[in-house]
Amino acid sequence: MNIQLLHRPGNTAAKVTLNPAEICTAESGAMIAMSNNIQITTTTHKRGKGSILKAVKRMVAGESLFINHFEAQKTPGEVWFGTALAGDLEVMQLDNETLIVQGSSFLACEHNIEIDLGWQGFKSVFSGERVFWVHLHGAGKVIVSSFGAIYPIQVDGEYIVDTGHIVAFNETLDFTITKAGKSWLHSFLGGEGLVCKFHGKGTVWCQSHNPSSFGSLLGSDLKPR
């Protein structure tokens, strides 16, 4: 599977080229366009391993109930993917490891990758984010999306990230939820609220814009239907 990212970084789209019999699994509604030799199969989980329970967990994590599998038939074909919000995409290569992805940031992956949901503990409840995050495990390519630009931060020890700016992180990292300032009062008056303090060694991928803050800002200006 060959992946090209075009129109970076503000309006990135992914062009995925598949050889015959190759399969790309993607979030429902992510397809922009495709060649006419691509066959689509829709399931609630990995093709051949359907599980309604895992599908429901995906919904809790902010993902769609269904996922689509794009397979090239007798000749090579291509599929274009994009996201609802303007921003960037990143291709990550997993080598028999697990990548934890914030809900709604998963876009597509090679068919070898297992897609599951992981309980992040009650600490996620207090972070204001979802308690189930997408766990991608295996060997192969993964495409994740961000609202705005996406960039990696190498963590070795401790690092603090706003909960709304996390796209993904290595399973080697653990995190705790804590206040941003010296006191809870200063944290909330300063508009920072709760943050994730990561521990360990690994990479956190962050997005430059916060979807929840953008929604709150825009929502008050929208006319009621």
Side-chain angles (χ1 to χ4, degrees):
M1 187 171 89
N2 179 264
I3 303 172
Q4 288 181 271
L5 300 183
L6 304 171
H7 312 300
R8 300 187 79 177
N11 300 286
T12 310
K15 177 185 177 184
V16 177
T17 303
L18 299 170
N19 290 319
E22 272 193 324
I23 301 173
C24 176
T25 299
E27 182 69 4
S28 175
M31 190 271 287
I32 298 173
M34 64 182 189
S35 55
N36 64 358
N37 62 332
I38 297 290
Q39 177 178 294
I40 302 179
T41 304
T42 301
T43 69
T44 56
H45 193 54
K46 187 172 181 178
R47 199 167 72 164
K49 297 182 179 179
S51 167
I52 191 64
L53 177 60
K54 290 185 177 180
V56 171
K57 288 168 63 179
R58 282 169 46 78
M59 291 185 68
V60 175
E63 301 291 325
S64 301
L65 177 62
F66 299 102
I67 50 179
N68 293 324
H69 311 277
F70 298 84
E71 181 177 4
Q73 299 302 296
K74 297 180 180 178
T75 57
E78 63 184 39
V79 188
W80 290 77
F81 296 114
T83 60
L85 291 174
D88 205 359
L89 304 177
E90 187 74 29
V91 179
M92 301 178 184
Q93 178 71 47
L94 301 189
D95 183 15
N96 290 315
E97 57 190 319
T98 298
L99 182 71
I100 301 174
V101 180
Q102 178 78 279
S104 76
S105 288
F106 167 69
L107 184 66
C109 64
E110 288 191 272
H111 195 58
N112 298 347
I113 301 294
E114 293 286 341
I115 305 171
D116 203 353
L117 273 295
W119 164 253
Q120 294 304 309
F122 286 103
K123 56 190 178 185
S124 293
V125 176
F126 300 109
S127 74
E129 305 299 329
R130 294 177 174 87
V131 295
F132 287 101
W133 286 8
V134 181
H135 285 209
L136 304 173
H137 178 76
K141 296 175 182 174
V142 169
I143 307 174
V144 297
S145 67
S146 65
F147 181 35
I150 183 171
Y151 49 91
I153 293 176
Q154 305 300 329
V155 179
D156 188 0
E158 289 188 347
Y159 212 96
I160 293 172
V161 180
D162 185 295
T163 56
H165 287 266
I166 299 169
V167 172
F169 57 92
N170 293 136
E171 191 185 32
T172 53
L173 293 171
D174 192 12
F175 71 86
T176 55
I177 302 299
T178 185
K179 56 186 180 298
K182 293 182 179 179
S183 70
W184 289 108
L185 180 62
H186 287 170
S187 292
F188 284 99
L189 291 179
E192 298 299 338
L194 298 171
V195 296
C196 281
K197 180 181 284 187
F198 284 95
H199 315 266
K201 190 170 185 178
T203 304
V204 181
W205 286 266
C206 297
Q207 55 190 358
S208 61
H209 294 62
N210 185 325
S212 297
S213 298
F214 178 72
S216 300
L217 180 67
L218 192 65
S220 60
D221 293 329
L222 293 177
K223 295 180 180 179
R225 290 185 175 180

